Amino acid sequence: MASRIKLFAIVLILTLTGGGIAAYKHVYLGIPVMVGNKPAEWLVEAKVSFIATGSPVNARLSLPAVAIDENLGFDARSAGYSFVVERNQGEYSAIWSADEMIDNQALYYRVRFADQGVKSGDPIPQSGEAPTPEDPGLSGSLRSAAENVVRRAKELSSDPDSLFVGVFREITAIGSSPEIALLKRHYEEEAGDSALTRLGIDLLNMAGVPARVAYGVKLEEVRGAQDPIWMVEYFDGVYWKVRDPDDASAILDRRTAFVWNRGGEPLLDLSGGENSQVTFTVTRDQIPLDRLTDLRDSSLLVSTIFGLPASERQVFSYVVLIPIGAFVVVVLRNLVGIATLGTFMPVLLALSLLEMKWQHGLVMFVVIVGAGLYFRFALSRLNLLVVPRVAACVVIVTLLMMILSVLSWHLGIRDGLKITLFPMIILAWTIERMSLIWEEEGKRNAMLQVGGSLLVAVIAFFFMKERQIRYWAFYFPELLLVLLAGIILLGRYTGYRLSELIRFKSFRTHE
């Protein structure tokens, strides 16, 4: 009796704590309980990372002017640093400064804007005198080659826009001319990864079209932390325009790309540090900016993951779904009676399916497990010990994943490239455990358990994919305490399962 009282007391405390924090966030902070139909807002976070050398640090990060001009939501917080936004002839910079910093440092600047995008990449008129093209300083055979390329591009173009398209089409063509091949070798030695962009900018300047570097960000959450994208800003006689050199013929789509820096200024200028790097993390937020700010400024118990940078917070958008999948497994095993190969395998499989078409994911899983099971039985004839046998399965699974990825690529199935999302160790242990069940309990039980695992994984996937559930898990993670209370209650259930009621239905008939 005492243990039952303790059980219900724990369940009650967990429920009241989780529900109470969620109610506080809704009533006092104004966080909506329902996800609603409001378009999501993009959050783009720039992370400046470097190693401080012990001397005074001064970091200057170029900012998108629209973040200030359009009064978009922005935030910059980095412990131990003073911060100011500086304006110089219409260009903005975020400046952090500190004394005697040492070791790894990270500075953050966040910008928020509506889902339909902002005019960060729209044409802007030139103020003042018209710019003049800069001579790239090429000489000898390099200059002759560049002049030949420019002459051909100008013959096929009628304005700066068509000239831009013509130049970058010739640069990126598979069968490039000897002149382009010569220029590419030179620029790859000088500029490395940005060689083609630098080459295109210099050719445009030689053609009489002023051009300079711009930096952008792809508005794609699945990319995770991404390096800035090299873009080109060129002057058409009236406006400065920005285009992506990798897709030269397309007008920049503000819904898929955000131009962070334009004007030709360096993206980052750092003193007092070394090995600097700028990366961007893109996420979507489903709640208004003022509510998110209130949430981030609240106490640790309430703010939870929202006090973290976006680059770290994005990971939790998937982590918080794992308990939901585990709860689905508990319900289907303890109440319904579906047999599975452990608890974590269906949950991790469901998590992997979130990043691909679930039908393709299941086919790939069945192929890998089936082929792996075949090789596992072949290994059993060698009388290996358990650990070497499992290690051999890991190697086999790795090779199978590589082969399946290559085959799917040649067949035009892009989801096959995402096969690496499957947890390799879980697959190896699944093959090992299934083979043991096959040998000890028979083929039927092994197939029932792997089939049950796939069924549970698919059901958990649909729960974890539900937009409202994902919203609750991410913005109200304290509700996981309520979920924990439910799991504890289910852990004490010892009654009949649904499958057992169906199985023993004939006993009731005889009564």
Side-chain angles (χ1 to χ4, degrees):
M1 187 67 180
S3 62
R4 181 174 297 182
I5 293 175
K6 291 180 181 178
L7 173 70
F8 285 110
I10 292 173
V11 169
L12 182 62
I13 292 172
L14 291 174
T15 303
L16 291 177
T17 302
I21 295 175
Y24 174 83
K25 290 166 68 171
H26 173 63
V27 175
Y28 292 97
L29 299 181
I31 309 301
V33 174
M34 306 304 293
V35 64
N37 296 320
K38 180 183 177 182
E41 292 184 335
W42 287 108
L43 184 147
V44 180
E45 178 187 81
K47 178 182 178 181
V48 179
S49 55
F50 60 94
I51 300 176
T53 57
S55 56
V57 175
N58 186 275
R60 179 186 295 266
L61 176 69
S62 295
L63 299 180
V66 295
I68 311 296
D69 294 343
E70 298 189 2
N71 293 319
L72 301 183
F74 69 93
D75 180 30
R77 304 182 184 188
S78 299
Y81 286 85
S82 62
F83 171 78
V84 65
V85 174
E86 181 183 86
R87 178 178 180 178
N88 182 20
Q89 297 181 353
E91 302 294 334
Y92 295 88
S93 299
I95 302 176
W96 292 269
S97 57
D99 293 330
E100 299 181 356
M101 302 299 271
I102 196 169
D103 293 333
N104 294 324
Q105 303 292 314
L107 309 175
Y108 300 91
Y109 191 93
R110 307 178 184 95
V111 175
R112 288 174 57 101
F113 50 88
D115 184 60
Q116 64 268 23
V118 294
K119 57 184 184 182
S120 61
D122 288 3
I124 57 175
Q126 169 66 22
S127 58
E129 297 182 1
T132 57
E134 295 183 4
D135 190 282
L138 298 176
S139 60
S141 60
L142 291 174
R143 189 168 189 87
S144 299
E147 289 175 347
N148 289 335
V149 174
V150 168
R151 185 180 63 255
R152 289 197 301 267
K154 293 181 72 172
E155 290 175 354
L156 300 175
S157 62
S158 58
D159 53 31
D161 296 328
S162 57
L163 179 64
F164 177 91
V165 175
V167 166
F168 278 96
R169 275 186 176 174
E170 184 164 357
I171 290 175
T172 56
I174 296 177
S176 56
S177 62
E179 294 93 343
I180 291 294
L182 175 64
L183 291 168
K184 280 183 179 180
R185 285 195 297 269
H186 172 73
Y187 277 82
E188 285 171 356
E189 294 176 357
E190 297 289 332
D193 294 338
S194 61
L196 296 184
T197 305
R198 292 289 187 185
L199 172 57
I201 289 174
D202 286 349
L203 291 176
L204 287 173
N205 278 288
M206 290 185 64
V209 177
R212 57 199 184 191
V213 176
Y215 297 94
V217 184
K218 289 290 186 182
L219 297 180
E220 298 175 0
E221 287 187 283
V222 295
R223 292 174 66 93
Q226 55 176 296
D227 294 326
I229 301 170
W230 286 72
M231 295 182 172
V232 176
E233 187 177 24
Y234 65 97
F235 186 62
D236 69 351
V238 180
Y239 295 96
W240 282 101
K241 298 180 178 178
V242 179
R243 289 202 184 190
D244 185 353
D246 292 334
D247 192 7
S249 60
I251 301 297
L252 199 65
D253 189 351
R254 64 174 64 176
R255 296 169 300 178
T256 60
F258 177 74
V259 180
W260 183 274
N261 168 254
R262 58 193 300 181
E265 296 296 324
L267 184 60
L268 176 66
D269 185 14
L270 175 69
S271 62
E274 57 187 13
N275 296 332
S276 60
Q277 183 182 18
V278 180
T279 56
F280 293 93
T281 301
V282 178
T283 61
R284 284 176 181 260
D285 279 318
Q286 302 289 338
I287 60 178
L289 173 63
D290 55 343
R291 303 303 182 194
L292 183 64
T293 302
D294 292 340
L295 179 58
R296 193 164 51 239
D297 291 339
S298 58
S299 62
L300 177 62
L301 185 63
V302 177
S303 64
T304 56
I305 60 178
F306 291 95
L308 299 174
S311 53
E312 282 73 23
R313 191 177 60 173
Q314 191 178 37
V315 178
F316 283 92
S317 62
Y318 291 95
V319 172
V320 293
L321 297 177
I322 295 178
I324 297 172
F327 179 77
V328 172
V329 174
V330 170
V331 171
L332 294 179
R333 287 194 61 171
N334 285 37
L335 297 185
V336 180
I338 299 178
T340 62
L341 291 169
T343 303
F344 293 105
M345 192 276 278
V347 176
L348 295 178
L349 177 59
L351 197 64
S352 302
L353 295 178
L354 290 173
E355 295 299 322
M356 64 181 77
K357 291 183 179 180
W358 65 274
Q359 301 94 328
H360 293 170
L362 290 182
V363 170
M364 289 187 289
F365 177 83
V366 170
V367 170
I368 291 176
V369 172
L373 193 63
Y374 171 81
F375 287 107
R376 165 60 181 81
F377 284 132
L379 289 174
S380 63
R381 301 172 185 172
L382 302 177
N383 296 323
L384 301 179
L385 298 176
V386 175
V387 174
R389 193 169 62 215
V390 173
C393 281
V394 171
V395 175
I396 291 172
V397 167
T398 303
L399 293 174
L400 289 173
M401 293 171 71
M402 292 172 58
I403 294 171
L404 199 56
S405 294
V406 174
L407 288 176
S408 62
W409 170 256
H410 287 289
L411 294 174
I413 304 174
R414 293 299 183 93
D415 278 340
L417 300 177
K418 300 178 180 179
I419 197 171
T420 53
L421 295 172
F422 286 142
M424 191 181 304
I425 303 302
I426 295 296
L427 286 176
W429 272 109
T430 298
I431 294 170
E432 174 68 16
R433 184 168 181 179
M434 187 178 176
S435 64
L436 293 177
I437 295 173
W438 192 302
E439 294 172 350
E440 296 173 1
E441 302 180 19
K443 176 175 66 176
R444 182 176 180 276
N445 283 338
M447 298 302 295
L448 283 177
Q449 290 195 29
V450 73
S453 298
L454 291 178
L455 177 61
V456 172
V458 171
I459 296 174
F461 157 76
F462 281 109
F463 271 92
M464 296 161 70
K465 187 181 179 182
E466 178 60 33
R467 186 164 174 252
Q468 183 63 59
I469 292 178
R470 293 168 70 101
Y471 176 82
W472 282 335
F474 190 67
Y475 291 98
F476 295 91
E478 59 277 355
L479 292 179
L480 294 178
L481 295 175
V482 180
L483 196 70
L484 176 60
I487 292 175
I488 291 175
L489 282 177
L490 290 175
R492 291 292 296 269
Y493 177 75
T494 57
Y496 286 106
R497 299 171 181 173
L498 181 61
S499 60
E500 292 174 338
L501 293 176
I502 298 174
R503 179 183 177 187
F504 299 120
K505 183 179 179 180
S506 58
F507 289 177
R508 181 180 298 178
T509 304
H510 287 99
E511 290 178 0

